[in-house]
Amino acid sequence: MRMRMRMRRAGAERGYPGRAWLCCWLLGWQAAALQLPPCEETDYHFEYTECDSSGSRWRVAVPNPLVECSGLPDPVKGKECTFSCASGEYLEMKNQVCSKCAEGTYSLGSGIKFDEWDELPAGFSNVATFMDTAVGSAENKADSCSNSSWTPRGNYIESNRDDCTVSLIYAVHLKKSGSVFFEYQYIDNNIFFEFFIQNDQCKEMESTADKWVKLTDNGEWGSHSVTLKSGSNILYWRTTGILMGSKVVKPVLVKNITIEGVAYTSECFACKPGTFSDKPGSSGCQVCPRNTYSEKGAKECTKCKEEMYYADEGSSACIERPPCTNKDFFQIHTPCDKEGKTQIMYKWIEPKICREDLPDALTLPPSGERKDCPPCNPGFYNNASSSCTPCPPGTFSDGTRECKACPAGTEPALGFEYKWWNILPGNMKTSCFNVGNSKCDGMNGWEVAGDHIQSGAGGSDNDYLILNLHIPGFKPPTSVTGATGSELGRITFIFETICSADCVLYFMADVNRKNTNVVESWERSKEKQSYTHIISKNASFTFTWAFQRINEGQDSRQFINDMAKIYSITVTNAVDGVASSCRACALGSEQSGSSCVPCPAGHYIEKETSQCKECPANTFLSIHQVYGREACIPCGPGSKSTKDHSACFSDCLVSYIKDNQSLNYDFSNLSQVGSLMSGPSFTSRGTKFFHFFNISLCGNEGKKVAICTDNITDVTLKDMVAESEDFSNFVGAFVCQSTIIPSDSKGFRTALALQSNSLADRFLGATVETTLENISIKTDMFPPSPSKIPDVHFFYKSSTVTTSCENGRATVVTMRCNPNKPDQGELSVPSSCPAGTCDGCTFYFVWESAEACPLCTEQDYHEIEGACKKGFQETLYVWNEPKHCIKGVPLPEKRTSTCETVDFWLKVGAGVGAFTAVLLIALTCYFWKKNQKLEYKYSKLVMTANSKECELPAADSCAIMEGEDNEEEIVYSNKQSLLGKLKSLATKEKEDHFESVQLKSSRSQNI
């Protein structure tokens, strides 16, 4: 920038003339010695010395550079240090009086202003650093930011677009208290913008305790002012970009920096080119109108020869008009006439800057071609007129038929559905805006084109082409007025972008006219697609579509054919809306009336009676329809409905039957919000960041108590919530995520949070199955569980739809029993996906804790019986090892019972068994010994008989005669009883008891 001012200040702090005066005296003495020519008024100028402790100073004469003369005026007592002139005046140093600025100049009195940014003004400096020192060498990072700086852009200065930290610095010394004021644009929360002031001791001033600059709406300039103390003030405008991906941040723009509190202004500033001042004593310059121009210090603007030249507002020169091309005109449709016809009209883009009389120039195509009008939009009807009017309350139309009253038992389905674009609807408006110029002010940003509405030509390729739709509020149908679901309405639009450069289409929402936030954006060309945004609270909304062809301005138009098209816009449940159809409603109990009545919360409309009926237990009412029993949707496994049937939630109790054994879980001790900080991760430039998650697992009557916020400060979370329900950076959900920049990463005093969003606002169910409602978890995503206890998976869904997640985000929290991790346990993410997700849409967590183990049952312990001592016996109960259960059935107490030393029947059995064994052994021994004795006696008898054979009478004959007995009769004598034999064995007699055997023979009988 070329700054339109110079300030004369001098340098001694004492009450007598300082070093400047001494230098002048020495020069005068030397001049006298050399006999220099006497000084004239043009050879020198006046300056003030620095103020002394009493606030006094001297006015001294200082020779101009390269001037040698003698006879400088003597020092004179100057004005007090706090003296200053009013705006539009300057201090005339010769007489030390305030004089009015001449025409073509201006003055702020005690202030200075920087409003030209063709180059960096004198006194300003850029300092670029990479604050993160955690990764890589500092030298490499310093080199990586060497090309980062604030860049002058003519009317404003622009911050860096990367993730370096760049400070724009200006030092000023004030003689009295003052202020600094500047205008800015700050629309991207991926860049941090702070303004603060330091003194000459590098300590921050108290006036900049709140140094964070607030975001502005897209395309609007905000203002910021801070009080300055007297003395040295070093001003810092510092930006730090946070690049989480490849997307480039939108820079901060600053203009019109004004500093009040300087002691005096010794001259007026010339008006910059493109402005003028036509009155003496001006405190500012006016902008030259269109087709005029001015040079520096102009008293008035000069007109261009409009036949050959043109000039934009605030121009410093006229520009030759180019030949007209097809980029200089556009096509519109006239309103329908009584015959249902519309005319195609061609118009020049205003202001017209081209010439039709040049060679190869195009002329405006003929207008007036008649075509059939498109039908009215649903909910409107032309009623045989040339314009479409909304249907009266209580009626409906599809746009082609007359409006009809809704039948009894039904009510209009209010909303807006725009799919025919002959004229711009009454609740929509269009405009054009450019931060650097006013070329497109007053132009239409969008033009209707029959079956779609498309972006207009604009004045420059970097214009913001804006389309607004205002909805005063949202109201659900009468029958569901008492419902407390999360959706009050929705807006859906079908669009496409056709681009050859880096165009961007923004979709934004303004709540209660407080602040505009970017909901979603699409870069480059996009095929025809649909997008839906859910409205969760009743408020006044203004929806904005802003299309920008390129981000930076260019002298010539190269991308005028790049455009965005919107084919249809549908809004449901809109206040003051129209109806294209009717829907069933609940009727009052009185048969006489047929008016609709609101159903209580959690009630549906019974088809047979059209009466309200409460949904069954553990079902929730659909937010899209309330007609029929099917409107009540069953809750998922392991969940129950809220009292008003608006949603399902987990009461922390889950049951599962395995191998005919019931496993019951109680996660109540984990119902408080669990937190996880994963990382660190690093951007491509090395910025360290963490992913921070808050998880509200169950309980809390279904309330979403996990909270994430942007821009963490020392303010308590409770204060942030209580500040305003419209707090745009406040997210409440079952699972939410923030990106955390640690305090040591970028040199901030505290950690910073950004990109807070909801990952789960609806609970689907809790089950041991790995799939629920098309959401699956891979078994190898986490290490296998060391125990055989099955994991319990909590499934959640988010209704927020993004370009990368067309079906919304989903979250699965796996609860795993781990007795070694008591209390809250430990949360973790898959090692293969350190951000918790591998695709950006489905997030996975595992929560290991002893509290995730099932409740104990009788099968989880066993008994141990002790020995019988003194007639008493103890029975102990111990847990099975390893123990994988908690709470539930307690371990029984030790039990003591009476007992006998040896049981009676045990003794009887033992005695009988012993007796029987002894008896068997005795009988065996007896018969064995008896057999031995018989063998012995027999053998002895045979031997005895052989030895006495000769003494016996010879046998008459060896043959057996007829009639004789062939057997000898054996006669036993001295025969013992069985008892006697046993007795003899028992007494172990050694004597041989022989039995006398009498042999009878036929011979002896004959003898």
Side-chain angles (χ1 to χ4, degrees), residues 482-485 600-603 614-615 619-621 641-647:
T484 58
H603 287 61
E614 185 177 6
C615 282
T619 63
F620 68 97
L621 190 63
S641 63
T642 56
K643 294 181 180 179
D644 58 3
H645 296 277
S646 62

Side-chain angles (χ1 to χ4, degrees), residues 720-826:
M720 298 181 88
V721 176
E723 181 179 335
S724 171
E725 65 173 7
D726 296 326
F727 188 63
S728 60
N729 297 328
F730 172 85
V731 175
F734 289 118
V735 183
C736 62
Q737 175 196 28
S738 295
T739 301
I740 304 296
I741 309 297
S743 58
D744 62 347
S745 180
K746 288 292 182 181
F748 298 125
R749 289 183 177 81
T750 183
L752 299 176
L754 67 155
Q755 299 177 345
S756 296
N757 52 62
S758 169
L759 303 182
D761 54 23
R762 184 165 68 93
F763 177 66
L764 302 181
T767 175
V768 297
E769 302 297 331
T770 56
T771 300
L772 183 64
E773 293 193 19
N774 298 323
I775 303 173
S776 299
I777 178 173
K778 297 179 180 178
T779 55
D780 58 349
M781 184 163 288
F782 295 103
S785 175
S787 67
K788 296 182 179 180
I789 301 298
D791 296 335
V792 179
H793 308 293
F794 281 71
F795 291 84
Y796 303 88
K797 188 77 174 176
S798 173
S799 58
T800 303
V801 178
T802 63
T803 53
S804 57
C805 304
E806 296 180 354
N807 297 321
R809 296 185 177 97
T811 300
V812 182
V813 181
T814 298
M815 306 304 297
R816 176 167 293 177
C817 173
N818 190 333
N820 298 323
K821 297 182 179 180
D823 301 328
Q824 289 292 309
E826 180 181 356

Side-chain angles (χ1 to χ4, degrees), residues 436-474:
N437 60 63
S438 57
K439 292 181 181 181
C440 73
D441 290 358
M443 291 185 180
N444 286 335
W446 293 69
E447 300 289 348
V448 294
D451 64 344
H452 66 274
I453 183 171
Q454 64 187 30
S455 55
S460 305
D461 284 345
N462 66 332
D463 292 341
Y464 285 100
L465 306 174
I466 298 172
L467 179 67
N468 301 112
L469 169 63
H470 178 66
I471 304 297
F474 288 86

Side-chain angles (χ1 to χ4, degrees), residues 698-982:
C698 59
N700 304 301
E701 292 297 322
K703 296 179 181 177
K704 304 166 188 174
V705 297
I707 296 174
C708 295
T709 57
D710 284 358
N711 293 345
I712 296 176
T713 63
D714 293 334
V715 181
T716 64
L717 193 60
K718 183 184 296 186
D719 293 338
M720 298 181 88
V721 176
E723 181 179 335
S724 171
E725 65 173 7
D726 296 326
F727 188 63
S728 60
N729 297 328
F730 172 85
V731 175
F734 289 118
V735 183
C736 62
Q737 175 196 28
S738 295
T739 301
I740 304 296
I741 309 297
S743 58
D744 62 347
S745 180
K746 288 292 182 181
F748 298 125
R749 289 183 177 81
T750 183
L752 299 176
L754 67 155
Q755 299 177 345
S756 296
N757 52 62
S758 169
L759 303 182
D761 54 23
R762 184 165 68 93
F763 177 66
L764 302 181
T767 175
V768 297
E769 302 297 331
T770 56
T771 300
L772 183 64
E773 293 193 19
N774 298 323
I775 303 173
S776 299
I777 178 173
K778 297 179 180 178
T779 55
D780 58 349
M781 184 163 288
F782 295 103
S785 175
S787 67
K788 296 182 179 180
I789 301 298
D791 296 335
V792 179
H793 308 293
F794 281 71
F795 291 84
Y796 303 88
K797 188 77 174 176
S798 173
S799 58
T800 303
V801 178
T802 63
T803 53
S804 57
C805 304
E806 296 180 354
N807 297 321
R809 296 185 177 97
T811 300
V812 182
V813 181
T814 298
M815 306 304 297
R816 176 167 293 177
C817 173
N818 190 333
N820 298 323
K821 297 182 179 180
D823 301 328
Q824 289 292 309
E826 180 181 356
L827 269 165
S828 60
V829 295
S831 58
S832 58
C833 308
T837 178
C838 297
D839 60 2
C841 297
T842 305
F843 292 77
Y844 300 96
F845 304 91
V846 62
W847 195 336
E848 297 183 80
S849 171
E851 297 293 335
C853 295
L855 300 178
C856 295
T857 64
E858 291 83 354
Q859 297 175 339
D860 291 307
Y861 62 82
H862 61 276
E863 63 180 25
I864 299 177
E865 293 184 348
C868 185
K869 296 181 180 179
K870 299 180 180 180
F872 294 95
Q873 184 182 36
E874 292 184 346
T875 302
L876 300 177
Y877 297 90
V878 295
W879 295 112
N880 298 335
E881 292 295 339
K883 182 185 177 185
H884 289 112
C885 66
I886 58 168
K887 297 181 288 189
V889 175
L891 199 65
E893 298 291 336
K894 179 176 63 176
R895 181 167 56 88
T896 303
S897 60
T898 59
C899 63
E900 297 182 8
T901 305
V902 179
D903 189 84
F904 172 76
W905 292 107
L906 180 61
K907 292 188 290 183
V908 171
V912 171
F915 175 77
T916 302
V918 171
L919 179 61
L920 291 174
I921 293 172
L923 290 174
T924 301
C925 294
Y926 166 73
F927 285 113
W928 177 80
K929 194 164 185 178
K930 181 66 175 177
N931 184 55
Q932 292 292 322
K933 288 183 177 182
L934 287 176
E935 289 182 358
Y936 171 74
K937 290 178 179 180
Y938 180 75
S939 61
K940 190 173 180 180
L941 179 61
V942 172
M943 291 174 61
T944 304
N946 290 334
S947 63
K948 294 182 178 182
E949 184 177 6
C950 60
E951 298 178 3
L952 292 175
D956 293 335
S957 176
C958 294
I960 298 177
M961 300 302 292
E962 184 180 356
E964 291 182 346
D965 190 358
N966 62 341
E967 294 185 17
E968 293 181 345
E969 294 183 9
I970 302 176
V971 178
Y972 294 89
S973 61
N974 194 24
K975 187 176 181 179
Q976 291 181 310
S977 64
L978 176 62
L979 184 59
K981 294 177 181 179
L982 293 175

